[in-house]
Amino acid sequence: SAVAFMKKNINKPLSLDDIANSIGLSRSHITLIFKSETGYSPVTFFTHLKIQHSCTLLKYSNTSIKEISYNLG
């Protein structure tokens, strides 16, 4: 659920509170679960998603680096 929320909101700046609230868990609980399942904290995972999405846009679209940076933060 948290990953789906992150992907849906890839163009927004999300905090740990935003992610935790989206699935009804505390900050510490989501961090513990996320780290055990993925090896990353939720915020680090979200950053990786943004980087992956940026790479996809660079490869398969004509969007400039400047636009991608602006749109994904």
Side-chain angles (χ1 to χ4, degrees):
S1 298
V3 173
F5 177 76
M6 290 178 199
K7 287 181 178 180
K8 182 179 176 184
N9 293 285
I10 196 85
N11 293 339
K12 298 177 183 174
L14 295 180
S15 68
L16 182 56
D17 285 330
D18 295 328
I19 298 165
N21 290 336
S22 76
I23 58 172
L25 296 176
S26 69
R27 294 168 49 121
S28 58
H29 195 81
I30 191 172
T31 299
L32 181 68
I33 292 171
F34 222 87
K35 196 139 189 163
S36 71
E37 293 292 322
T38 66
Y40 299 103
S41 71
V43 174
T44 300
F45 188 87
F46 186 55
T47 301
H48 284 280
L49 282 179
K50 285 183 174 254
I51 292 168
Q52 288 175 339
H53 188 65
S54 298
C55 290
T56 301
L57 290 173
L58 284 169
K59 187 171 184 176
Y60 297 109
S61 76
N62 292 326
T63 309
S64 71
I65 293 172
K66 184 177 180 178
E67 281 182 272
I68 293 169
S69 298
Y70 179 78
N71 290 335
L72 294 178

